[in-house]
Amino acid sequence: MGEWTDKVKGKVKETAGVATGDRELEAEGKADTLKGNVKEKAEDAKRVIKDAVEPDRKIHRDEP
């Protein structure tokens, strides 16, 4: 969930920076958005690795 928060916070800062002409705030927003994207990709990679190492867990996840 942290990646989602970083992305939203980044978009808000970026938009506010553009609206007010504050380039520093805009840059902070872009950095926060990028941070959220990196976190998301890291979580995706962890999930793929975990599924490759423990293929049985992937099957059981779909079952009730």
Side-chain angles (χ1 to χ4, degrees):
M1 181 75 86
E3 68 270 3
W4 185 83
T5 305
D6 286 334
K7 286 180 181 182
V8 171
K9 182 173 68 171
K11 284 296 181 187
V12 169
K13 283 183 178 181
E14 186 178 350
T15 301
V18 169
T20 61
D22 186 343
R23 290 181 183 249
E24 188 175 326
L25 185 60
E26 182 181 354
E28 271 185 48
K30 287 181 181 183
D32 286 344
T33 302
L34 179 62
K35 181 177 160 184
N37 288 335
V38 169
K39 282 183 180 179
E40 179 181 27
K41 297 302 178 192
E43 287 299 318
D44 290 346
K46 282 193 327 188
R47 201 171 306 116
V48 167
I49 291 168
K50 193 173 201 173
D51 288 345
V53 172
E54 301 174 8
D56 296 339
R57 287 180 53 106
K58 187 175 182 181
I59 294 169
H60 297 299
R61 216 180 290 151
D62 295 334
E63 296 175 1

